[in-house]
Amino acid sequence: MPAFPDNLKPATDGASILHKERLGSHLPVQELARHLFDRTDFLSRQERILKIVGNEPLFRKDRQLNLSRPERYHLGLARAKLLRRLSVKHSWTRDDDEMAVYLVDDVSPYMLQMSMFVTTVREQGDEAQRAYWLPKIEKWEIIGAYAQTELGHGSNVRGLELQARWDPESKGFVLNSPTLTASKWWNGSMGRTANHAIVVAQLYLPELSTSDGSTQYKSYGPHPFMVQIRDMKTHQPLEGIVVGDIGPKYGYAPMDNGYMLFNNHHIPHSAMLARYNKVDQATGRYQKAGNPAVVYGTLTAIRANIVMHARLVLARAVTVAVRYTAVRHQFRDRDGDDKGPELPVLDYPTVQIRILPLLASAFALHYTGEAMHDLYRRTRAKVESGDFTKLAELHSTSSGLKSLCTEIAADGIETCRRALGGHGFGGGSGLIQLNNDYVSKPTVEGDNWMITQQTASYLIKQMQAAATGKGAAKSSLEEACREHLLHRHAFAPLDVLHSDTDVVEAFRRRALDMAYKAYRARVVEKKAWNSLLVQLHKLSRAFSQSLLVGSFYDALACNDNMSPGLREIMWRLFRLFALSTMDAAAREFSTARAVADHDLDLLPGRVQALMTEIRPHAVNLVDAWSIPDFLLDSALGRYDGRVYEDLFNRAHRLNPLNEVTFNPDYSTAEIVMGRKGEGIDKIVAKL
Amino acid sequence: MPAFPDNLKPATDGASILHKERLGSHLPVQELARHLFDRTDFLSRQERILKIVGNEPLFRKDRQLNLSRPERYHLGLARAKLLRRLSVKHSWTRDDDEMAVYLVDDVSPYMLQMSMFVTTVREQGDEAQRAYWLPKIEKWEIIGAYAQTELGHGSNVRGLELQARWDPESKGFVLNSPTLTASKWWNGSMGRTANHAIVVAQLYLPELSTSDGSTQYKSYGPHPFMVQIRDMKTHQPLEGIVVGDIGPKYGYAPMDNGYMLFNNHHIPHSAMLARYNKVDQATGRYQKAGNPAVVYGTLTAIRANIVMHARLVLARAVTVAVRYTAVRHQFRDRDGDDKGPELPVLDYPTVQIRILPLLASAFALHYTGEAMHDLYRRTRAKVESGDFTKLAELHSTSSGLKSLCTEIAADGIETCRRALGGHGFGGGSGLIQLNNDYVSKPTVEGDNWMITQQTASYLIKQMQAAATGKGAAKSSLEEACREHLLHRHAFAPLDVLHSDTDVVEAFRRRALDMAYKAYRARVVEKKAWNSLLVQLHKLSRAFSQSLLVGSFYDALACNDNMSPGLREIMWRLFRLFALSTMDAAAREFSTARAVADHDLDLLPGRVQALMTEIRPHAVNLVDAWSIPDFLLDSALGRYDGRVYEDLFNRAHRLNPLNEVTFNPDYSTAEIVMGRKGEGIDKIVAKL
């Protein structure tokens, strides 16, 4: 009897189906994979690290979805430690470390150490502070967190309530939380793991009141301080500090996001990171020592990474969706033979329209992320040499792109998951944790609706400069705005159905049209900023879309060494991305006189035709993204197509709930057969 | 020191903020609550049941998010049993039972018993079967599941693989799973709880082959069988049955969705539910005994319930979003005083545009659900008396509405969650489990993309009948199609900015325009059905939106006893729902010549103006939905506005992770301070 299911085969042989899909497409998978990843050694690194992490029992995920949140933190810390030890053992570089975290696919309680913690010390610490702290951090003698956001303030950093008052007697600072909302909140690694933190607090310095001669404190705004928060031996919070984990969240189970309150806690003068601003220890006076605008550069680099991460996340969801919907067969053709075979659900346009534009989007995000990194590197060099002119453009551009790209990825995961039908709701999808973790991204590092103001504001300024400026334009964008103003009354519709350059130009024209209208509303008609927020959000979105389309186009147009077979399919993906994006906002293209209504009417048909052309290559296209099964952890998306065997195996052999027999009779409180109420009492005690 | 945080107050006093919000609106909360719920005694029932379930420790949720999935099933079963015992003790009606489940807000492993299990016996069992089984079910002597979907087939019921072969010797059936994909899959309550199940299998009857005289089996399609699956004493699976729980899912943690395989398992002749079809026990011949179309009636009733459920789910998410964004203050007015107060985030149009149209949608869903129930009751009476003419309309209408309404609610929860900013990702939102559970709804009871074909197909048939029919129209929809065909070349744009009836008419005209084009493509141009699927999906969506708008309008226009103050705000909500929906698909209204482009350009401004008018009443409007704090389980959405106190309390006092001190040093494998590796070994063993 136990052998009975072992001998059954699925009616649908996923393995041979995917084999045929791969043979049926001429798309050169290896060439595309190299094209995507060769610049950064990504693939060889992935292979090398996978061999190491793939063999560790601690990184197994077979039954991980059965763990509780406290268990997930325990496990997360154990994994973070093991990764650290492996890193030392194998002399991993920073890129290797990041690859290992990516493959293990578990948020690490050590995450802040080599990101915001070390970066802030490096960028904002003065020479002495860097010399003192950086070796300790790099040797992991201390574990750090970054404590900026508070219970009452996230986006509005200037509104932070935690106070750092200068104490002339001790020549140091006193950290104090005047209210409950001043509690630090959300700060990763701080809840249970870190023993140090960069703490951002309002700096208050004493001043002699001119009126009555008493001492009053004046605020100088938020500043960063390096603070020890726990005892290095006992790991207990230091006196005057209340710190803990904020509890379960939507995702990020292994991360100990924390809260922290200070009760007149003294820290030394050296705690304040003093590269750009400092307090003179002798006089207690505030001194500016440089331009802190450089920190926006860091934020921008983080945002370029966010876009590059988004494209891998999206590629992962699309990989699962494409492979499973190729294997999954459901319904015969309604117009076909009554005895005909069931169709792969990926053949249905209603499935294609959800998955294939997202497949194309992954490439759009890829080329845009690459372009952002390029721009960052170029701008960064200028900033280091004291030239800040490009910074505003880069920062504002990155805001809109962060907003749009994380939204595409977050919504894309869920769209893919729903396209999987019933099995998409099951643990075998491999998309549950991905979804739960990733939906944080539209909020962190700048709320997606809020930060689009930066992009819009920048565009309005450019349009204003173009409208009023004389002499040479100060930027290529201002130049484009001038052109737009010059010709906007005489635009002829572009031929987006036949010309790829016209597609790029149409996106640009629509964005500039919206920029012009926003400029009119704000600058000429002087409307209240807040009354324009929805319009500004749409403007940022349109501009960011034009950047995505432009980057995609440039990457293909400038590439000389792609094989013709690959090139042809890549251009189709470009068109699918651009035209499906255009179709979703068609009216804006019409209003901007960028595309004729007649052409817009034809977009849905054109999109469907493109999907039909791309469909035969879908499996090979996702293969090129090279996401290993170890990372996918998906019965539905596994490379070999053995979907049903894996789903059944997870249910029948790996599910701990099936090891217990329950008592279903409602009249007794006994839950597990023969064990009275003992088990449930323990669970109720946890409520 | 421990007392320090206890003495802190939040800088933002949520309690007084919500108090002022409530005083500042003239909206009569009690009147609106009665208007929404009086027809069904909902509010008095809620109050009565809440008093009972609110006091049971087993229903506490303070730390529930910390439980593992296996613990959640244990707890779910314990809760289901307690609810059953309470039901007996207090002589609850079916409506009372449902209210209790709604308030406890945990999917019950007993869920199928009084829904699909009993309903199928009642509707498809013959008289003897009903007399035998119904008392057993109603006394809970047996616990049931409904086993239809399989690993390989969900939507396509005809493709089910499980076989029920007639065995002439034993005069019974033999259940056999020929493949792995024939395994029953997803069936609720079956994995660990049920001892019986309605099993849907392909009926095979032996026939004498005319060619060689041998016996061959012929398929008669899927039929339902009542099958005992576990021993009534030991609760072990019966011989020949392999059954278990399929494992962790996106949501539905306490539900034991199951799998089940049969190895030539014999069941008696009486197992086949025989109201409409049966197999003659003596001859083994198939006999039709009635019209099974009646089962579509059940499906339709389920869908009406889904819409009514969707509106409460949406109201719950909107309640949290409105209350929290009223309490949450962030940023000063950019155009205002530098020392001015921070603004409630609900004052920002970019927050309003995400929340307030969803608030209006909850009402649209409410009136539509009511209308569906009315139509169902009227149609049901006709069906019982043998008249099936209305059934097709009801069924096809309910398909499109189920699709649209569950999408609005599922996407709406996530939109609200993101509008909460950072705290929306935390456990205090109260939206985590709601989100995880509810995203199953776009897939179950008919996949949202698939079932829209039914609505579109029906509309095409109506348009075809109108185009070709003579004499009196057979339905009001056909009549409307005729009118449309007659006037479609001479439509003047409607005045949607000034006339509410024109708004309703514009939605209708746009839907009929799309129906006409679908009819042309399919019937006249004879395009392949599958090539039209995206277009048909859009058609169903447009038609369903016109039903929502129409129901909302009718409910207000036909109501004579609403106070003027309430009526005024309800009409604004109607317009906000209709015009924001119209704005999102503006081009379709232009193409259909329903609304002039100039008016469409004005929609965003009009929507924003409506939101400004509704904003002062937002808190009172969500109060009217009467969702108790016990159900909300939300720090952000609590009635008294004490958001920050509650968030801090959950983190600081209710978080089990804070009871443990960890060892952060990577060089040691010790996780919990002083406990070596013991704890983690147990966790790794669970991987």
Side-chain angles (χ1 to χ4, degrees):
Chain A
M1 188 55 204
F4 158 59
D6 301 343
N7 298 327
L8 289 176
K9 301 233 171 312
T12 312
D13 180 9
S16 71
I17 288 170
L18 286 195
H19 184 66
K20 269 183 219 146
E21 288 273 354
R22 288 180 176 121
L23 286 180
S25 158
H26 61 72
L27 182 116
V29 175
Q30 293 310 318
E31 183 193 345
L32 178 52
R34 282 194 308 270
H35 166 73
L36 288 171
F37 297 115
D38 253 15
R39 194 183 53 73
T40 58
D41 269 342
F42 186 93
L43 290 181
S44 57
R45 176 172 290 118
Q46 175 168 286
E47 198 182 344
R48 178 163 48 85
I49 305 292
L50 185 57
K51 273 189 197 138
I52 296 167
V53 300
N55 286 322
E56 293 286 346
L58 201 57
F59 299 142
R60 241 185 257 142
K61 283 178 283 186
D62 295 347
R63 307 198 289 175
Q64 181 168 294
L65 284 170
N66 288 292
L67 297 182
S68 70
R69 197 262 154 166
E71 285 173 331
R72 287 301 301 279
Y73 172 75
H74 282 71
L75 180 62
L77 182 57
R79 285 175 169 173
K81 288 183 175 204
L82 176 58
L83 280 174
R84 206 53 240 128
R85 293 195 296 270
L86 289 173
S87 178
V88 172
K89 180 177 167 189
H90 297 285
S91 305
W92 282 347
T93 64
R94 177 88 184 103
D95 284 344
D96 292 341
D97 286 342
E98 281 182 357
M99 175 61 77
V101 169
Y102 166 70
L103 289 172
V104 168
D105 196 33
D106 215 25
V107 186
S108 164
Y110 282 170
M111 188 174 82
L112 276 290
Q113 177 85 347
M114 296 313 286
S115 54
M116 281 304 278
F117 186 60
V118 73
T119 306
T120 308
V121 173
R122 196 177 291 142
E123 302 206 335
Q124 309 223 37
D126 64 21
E127 210 167 317
Q129 288 168 328
R130 292 200 299 270
Y132 182 81
W133 291 112
L134 289 180
K136 284 181 192 293
I137 297 170
E138 277 149 16
K139 285 187 217 146
W140 292 71
E141 290 170 9
I142 61 172
I143 314 278
Y146 182 81
Q148 178 175 300
T149 53
E150 295 175 354
L151 184 52
H153 286 89
S155 293
N156 184 12
V157 180
R158 286 199 206 166
L160 293 178
E161 295 183 70
L162 176 66
Q163 302 178 348
R165 268 178 291 110
W166 175 250
D167 175 23
E169 270 183 50
S170 65
K171 303 284 184 194
F173 301 94
V174 182
L175 289 174
N176 192 51
S177 312
T179 65
L180 201 62
T181 37
S183 174
K184 291 297 163 188
W185 200 268
W186 274 118
N187 327 103
S189 308
M190 193 178 78
R192 301 276 81 197
T193 316
N195 44 40
H196 283 68
I198 306 291
V199 175
V200 180
Q202 298 283 358
L203 176 66
Y204 281 87
L205 301 181
E207 297 204 338
L208 224 57
S209 167
T210 45
S211 59
D212 62 358
S214 69
T215 302
Q216 293 200 327
Y217 278 86
K218 183 187 160 188
S219 169
Y220 285 77
H223 286 72
F225 299 83
M226 166 67 86
V227 182
Q228 181 180 343
I229 60 172
R230 287 188 172 93
D231 184 89
M232 295 304 288
K233 203 153 184 181
T234 65
H235 203 57
Q236 292 298 322
L238 296 188
E239 171 104 31
I241 297 180
V242 173
V243 58
D245 174 276
I246 61 168
K249 297 149 298 209
Y250 199 85
Y252 271 53
M255 174 57 91
D256 55 322
N257 297 90
Y259 66 91
M260 183 161 58
L261 285 163
F262 294 93
N263 188 13
N264 289 312
H265 179 75
H266 284 255
I267 55 173
H269 171 264
S270 62
M272 183 170 151
L273 296 183
R275 183 171 189 170
Y276 297 109
N277 308 295
K278 56 185 164 189
V279 173
D280 184 274
Q281 188 161 18
T283 64
R285 290 210 178 269
Y286 190 72
Q287 299 176 318
K288 263 185 120 53
N291 191 333
V294 69
V295 302
Y296 287 110
T298 307
L299 199 56
T300 305
I302 289 173
R303 286 182 178 161
N305 284 336
I306 287 174
V307 172
M308 287 309 252
H309 176 242
R311 112 254 200 230
L312 280 181
V313 162
L314 189 56
R316 188 167 150 195
V318 170
T319 298
V320 172
V322 163
R323 288 184 185 155
Y324 173 66
T325 56
V327 169
R328 179 75 168 182
H329 284 55
Q330 201 85 175
F331 289 110
R332 302 192 168 95
D333 186 348
R334 184 159 163 159
D335 293 329
D337 187 342
D338 196 32
K339 299 281 169 202
E342 291 191 289
L343 301 179
V345 298
L346 186 53
D347 284 0
Y348 294 101
T350 30
V351 172
Q352 292 175 358
I353 195 75
R354 289 181 278 170
I355 297 174
L356 297 184
L358 288 174
L359 171 58
S361 300
F363 290 95
L365 265 56
H366 171 78
Y367 295 122
T368 303
E370 295 258 306
M372 285 174 81
H373 269 298
D374 281 354
L375 190 58
Y376 172 68
R377 270 187 298 269
R378 277 182 279 136
T379 308
R380 182 79 205 168
K382 287 189 180 168
V383 166
E384 289 291 348
S385 66
D387 174 4
F388 293 95
T389 48
K390 265 266 170 191
L391 204 58
E393 177 174 347
L394 182 56
H395 181 59
S396 63
T397 305
S398 75
S399 302
L401 283 171
K402 182 271 173 186
S403 174
L404 177 61
C405 294
T406 55
E407 186 185 305
I408 290 174
D411 293 349
I413 298 167
E414 176 64 6
T415 298
C416 285
R417 202 191 60 69
R418 288 191 202 169
L420 303 173
H423 292 313
F425 194 69
S429 70
L431 299 184
I432 293 179
Q433 185 181 314
L434 185 70
N435 214 344
N436 287 345
D437 285 353
Y438 198 81
V439 290
S440 63
K441 292 289 184 273
T443 306
V444 295
E445 313 290 354
D447 178 88
N448 274 3
W449 279 76
M450 206 203 61
I451 59 175
T452 53
Q453 292 180 64
Q454 291 161 6
T455 301
S457 169
Y458 180 73
L459 290 169
I460 289 173
K461 275 186 203 132
Q462 294 296 306
M463 194 55 84
Q464 185 174 14
T468 58
K470 291 185 178 70
K474 277 170 226 69
S475 70
S476 59
L477 184 55
E478 191 187 326
E479 183 64 40
C481 290
R482 285 191 189 185
E483 289 288 314
H484 187 84
L485 292 175
L486 217 56
H487 301 298
R488 56 182 297 275
H489 292 292
F491 280 141
L494 295 153
D495 184 11
V496 295
L497 295 179
H498 301 100
S499 159
D500 293 325
T501 52
D502 274 21
V503 168
V504 176
E505 180 56 27
F507 273 89
R508 197 182 171 85
R509 191 182 289 175
R510 164 233 196 185
L512 291 175
D513 177 65
M514 292 166 76
Y516 174 74
K517 284 168 183 158
Y519 152 74
R520 291 276 317 169
R522 176 62 179 168
V523 179
V524 181
E525 296 160 27
K526 304 206 182 309
K527 289 194 177 155
W529 182 261
N530 283 349
S531 76
L532 298 174
L533 288 178
V534 174
Q535 184 179 347
L536 300 178
H537 184 69
K538 288 181 190 163
L539 165 59
S540 169
R541 190 183 174 79
F543 182 71
S544 302
Q545 286 176 340
S546 87
L547 293 178
L548 287 177
V549 168
S551 304
F552 203 153
Y553 176 88
D554 290 345
L556 297 186
C558 303
N559 188 305
D560 296 329
N561 45 29
M562 211 179 255
S563 69
L566 177 57
R567 180 181 298 275
E568 182 201 4
I569 296 169
M570 293 308 293
W571 276 114
R572 283 178 181 157
L573 285 167
F574 163 76
R575 279 164 217 145
L576 176 59
F577 173 73
L579 298 186
S580 61
T581 303
M582 187 182 286
D583 184 40
R587 209 160 175 278
E588 291 174 358
F589 288 84
S590 166
T591 307
R593 289 198 280 180
V595 187
D597 273 311
H598 175 260
D599 282 356
L600 292 171
D601 289 341
L602 297 177
L603 285 181
R606 183 58 68 99
V607 165
Q608 189 155 324
L610 284 164
M611 294 195 301
T612 306
E613 289 168 358
I614 291 166
R615 160 69 184 92
H617 311 291
V619 170
N620 276 3
L621 280 166
V622 299
D623 283 354
W625 282 98
S626 312
I627 316 231
D629 277 343
F630 177 81
L631 176 56
L632 282 177
D633 184 35
S634 169
L636 306 187
R638 40 189 296 151
Y639 184 85
D640 68 6
R642 299 197 184 280
V643 169
Y644 298 114
E645 296 91 324
D646 194 346
L647 282 173
F648 190 79
N649 186 51
R650 286 167 189 246
H652 189 55
R653 299 183 191 95
L654 295 175
N655 182 359
L657 202 62
N658 289 331
E659 293 158 14
V660 182
T661 304
F662 295 89
N663 182 342
D665 175 7
Y666 82 86
S667 66
T668 164
E670 179 178 273
I671 300 302
V672 176
M673 202 63 119
R675 272 217 252 136
K676 305 291 171 198
E678 59 183 78
I680 197 65
D681 290 349
K682 263 165 83 178
I683 293 172
V684 173
K686 292 186 188 178
L687 286 176
Chain B
M1 189 52 206
F4 158 57
D6 301 343
N7 297 329
L8 290 176
K9 301 230 172 315
T12 313
D13 180 9
S16 71
I17 289 170
L18 286 195
H19 184 66
K20 270 182 220 148
E21 288 274 353
R22 288 179 176 121
L23 286 182
S25 158
H26 62 72
L27 181 116
V29 175
Q30 294 309 317
E31 183 193 346
L32 178 53
R34 282 194 308 271
H35 165 73
L36 287 171
F37 297 116
D38 253 13
R39 193 183 53 75
T40 57
D41 269 342
F42 186 92
L43 289 181
S44 57
R45 176 172 290 120
Q46 175 168 286
E47 196 181 348
R48 179 163 47 84
I49 305 292
L50 184 57
K51 272 190 196 137
I52 297 167
V53 299
N55 285 324
E56 294 285 347
L58 201 57
F59 299 143
R60 244 186 256 143
K61 284 179 282 186
D62 296 345
R63 306 198 289 175
Q64 181 168 295
L65 284 170
N66 288 292
L67 297 182
S68 71
R69 197 263 155 165
E71 285 173 331
R72 287 299 301 279
Y73 172 74
H74 282 72
L75 180 61
L77 182 57
R79 285 174 169 173
K81 288 183 175 206
L82 176 57
L83 281 174
R84 203 56 239 127
R85 292 196 296 270
L86 290 172
S87 178
V88 172
K89 178 176 168 191
H90 298 285
S91 306
W92 282 347
T93 64
R94 177 88 185 105
D95 284 344
D96 292 341
D97 286 341
E98 281 182 357
M99 174 60 78
V101 168
Y102 166 70
L103 288 173
V104 168
D105 196 33
D106 216 23
V107 186
S108 163
Y110 282 169
M111 187 173 82
L112 276 291
Q113 178 84 348
M114 296 313 285
S115 54
M116 281 304 278
F117 187 60
V118 73
T119 307
T120 308
V121 173
R122 197 177 289 140
E123 301 207 334
Q124 309 223 36
D126 64 21
E127 211 168 318
Q129 288 168 329
R130 294 200 299 271
Y132 182 80
W133 290 112
L134 290 180
K136 284 183 191 294
I137 297 171
E138 278 149 17
K139 285 186 215 148
W140 292 71
E141 290 170 9
I142 63 171
I143 315 279
Y146 181 80
Q148 178 175 300
T149 53
E150 295 176 353
L151 185 52
H153 286 88
S155 295
N156 184 11
V157 179
R158 286 198 206 166
L160 294 177
E161 296 182 70
L162 176 65
Q163 302 177 348
R165 269 178 290 111
W166 175 250
D167 175 24
E169 270 183 50
S170 65
K171 303 282 184 198
F173 302 93
V174 181
L175 290 174
N176 193 52
S177 312
T179 65
L180 201 62
T181 37
S183 174
K184 291 295 164 190
W185 201 270
W186 274 119
N187 327 102
S189 307
M190 194 177 80
R192 303 274 81 197
T193 316
N195 44 39
H196 283 67
I198 305 291
V199 175
V200 180
Q202 298 283 359
L203 176 66
Y204 281 87
L205 300 182
E207 297 204 338
L208 223 56
S209 166
T210 45
S211 57
D212 62 356
S214 69
T215 301
Q216 294 200 326
Y217 277 87
K218 183 188 162 188
S219 169
Y220 285 76
H223 285 74
F225 299 82
M226 167 67 87
V227 182
Q228 181 180 344
I229 60 172
R230 287 189 172 91
D231 184 89
M232 295 305 288
K233 202 156 187 177
T234 66
H235 203 56
Q236 292 298 322
L238 297 188
E239 171 103 30
I241 297 179
V242 173
V243 58
D245 174 275
I246 61 169
K249 296 149 300 207
Y250 199 85
Y252 271 52
M255 174 57 92
D256 54 324
N257 296 89
Y259 66 92
M260 183 161 57
L261 285 163
F262 294 93
N263 189 13
N264 289 313
H265 180 74
H266 284 254
I267 53 173
H269 172 263
S270 61
M272 182 170 152
L273 296 183
R275 183 170 192 172
Y276 296 111
N277 307 297
K278 56 184 164 192
V279 174
D280 185 272
Q281 188 160 19
T283 63
R285 292 211 176 267
Y286 191 72
Q287 300 177 316
K288 263 186 120 53
N291 191 334
V294 68
V295 301
Y296 287 109
T298 307
L299 199 56
T300 305
I302 290 173
R303 286 182 178 162
N305 284 337
I306 287 175
V307 172
M308 287 308 252
H309 176 242
R311 109 242 200 242
L312 280 181
V313 163
L314 189 56
R316 188 167 149 196
V318 170
T319 298
V320 172
V322 164
R323 287 183 186 156
Y324 174 66
T325 57
V327 169
R328 179 75 169 182
H329 284 55
Q330 201 84 174
F331 289 110
R332 303 191 166 97
D333 186 348
R334 184 160 163 159
D335 293 330
D337 187 340
D338 195 34
K339 299 279 168 206
E342 290 192 289
L343 302 178
V345 298
L346 186 53
D347 284 0
Y348 294 102
T350 31
V351 172
Q352 292 175 358
I353 195 75
R354 289 181 277 170
I355 298 174
L356 297 184
L358 288 174
L359 171 58
S361 300
F363 290 95
L365 265 55
H366 171 78
Y367 294 122
T368 303
E370 296 257 308
M372 284 174 81
H373 269 298
D374 282 354
L375 189 57
Y376 171 68
R377 270 186 297 270
R378 277 182 279 135
T379 307
R380 181 80 204 167
K382 286 190 181 169
V383 166
E384 288 290 347
S385 67
D387 173 4
F388 293 96
T389 48
K390 265 265 171 193
L391 204 57
E393 177 173 346
L394 182 56
H395 181 58
S396 62
T397 305
S398 76
S399 302
L401 283 171
K402 182 270 173 186
S403 174
L404 177 61
C405 294
T406 55
E407 186 185 306
I408 290 174
D411 293 348
I413 299 167
E414 177 63 8
T415 298
C416 285
R417 202 192 58 70
R418 288 191 203 170
L420 302 173
H423 292 314
F425 193 69
S429 70
L431 299 184
I432 294 180
Q433 183 182 317
L434 185 70
N435 214 343
N436 287 346
D437 286 352
Y438 198 79
V439 290
S440 62
K441 292 287 184 268
T443 306
V444 297
E445 314 289 357
D447 177 89
N448 274 3
W449 280 76
M450 206 204 59
I451 59 175
T452 52
Q453 291 179 64
Q454 292 160 5
T455 301
S457 169
Y458 180 74
L459 290 168
I460 289 174
K461 275 185 205 135
Q462 294 295 306
M463 194 55 83
Q464 185 174 13
T468 58
K470 293 185 177 70
K474 278 169 226 67
S475 70
S476 59
L477 184 55
E478 190 188 327
E479 182 65 39
C481 289
R482 286 192 189 185
E483 289 287 315
H484 187 83
L485 291 175
L486 216 56
H487 301 298
R488 56 182 296 276
H489 292 293
F491 281 141
L494 296 152
D495 184 11
V496 296
L497 296 178
H498 302 99
S499 159
D500 293 323
T501 53
D502 273 21
V503 168
V504 175
E505 181 54 28
F507 272 90
R508 196 181 170 86
R509 190 182 289 178
R510 165 232 195 186
L512 291 175
D513 177 65
M514 292 167 76
Y516 173 73
K517 284 169 183 159
Y519 151 74
R520 291 275 319 169
R522 177 62 178 168
V523 179
V524 181
E525 297 160 27
K526 306 208 181 304
K527 290 197 176 153
W529 183 261
N530 283 350
S531 75
L532 298 174
L533 287 178
V534 174
Q535 185 180 347
L536 300 178
H537 184 70
K538 288 181 190 164
L539 165 58
S540 168
R541 189 182 174 81
F543 182 71
S544 303
Q545 286 176 339
S546 86
L547 293 179
L548 287 176
V549 168
S551 303
F552 203 153
Y553 176 88
D554 289 346
L556 298 186
C558 303
N559 188 306
D560 296 329
N561 46 28
M562 210 180 256
S563 69
L566 177 57
R567 179 181 299 275
E568 180 200 6
I569 296 169
M570 293 307 293
W571 276 114
R572 284 179 181 157
L573 286 167
F574 164 77
R575 279 164 216 146
L576 176 59
F577 173 74
L579 298 185
S580 61
T581 303
M582 186 181 288
D583 184 39
R587 207 158 177 279
E588 292 176 357
F589 288 84
S590 166
T591 308
R593 290 198 279 180
V595 187
D597 273 311
H598 175 260
D599 281 356
L600 293 172
D601 290 340
L602 297 177
L603 285 182
R606 182 58 68 98
V607 164
Q608 188 155 325
L610 284 164
M611 295 195 300
T612 306
E613 289 168 359
I614 291 165
R615 159 70 184 93
H617 311 291
V619 170
N620 277 3
L621 279 166
V622 299
D623 283 355
W625 281 99
S626 313
I627 318 238
D629 279 342
F630 177 79
L631 176 58
L632 282 176
D633 184 35
S634 169
L636 306 187
R638 41 187 297 150
Y639 184 85
D640 67 7
R642 299 196 185 279
V643 169
Y644 297 113
E645 296 92 324
D646 195 345
L647 281 174
F648 190 78
N649 186 51
R650 286 168 188 245
H652 189 55
R653 299 183 190 93
L654 296 175
N655 182 359
L657 202 62
N658 289 332
E659 292 157 15
V660 182
T661 304
F662 294 89
N663 182 342
D665 176 6
Y666 82 87
S667 65
T668 163
E670 179 177 273
I671 300 302
V672 176
M673 204 62 122
R675 271 217 253 135
K676 305 291 172 198
E678 59 182 79
I680 197 65
D681 290 348
K682 264 166 81 178
I683 293 171
V684 174
K686 292 186 189 177
L687 286 176

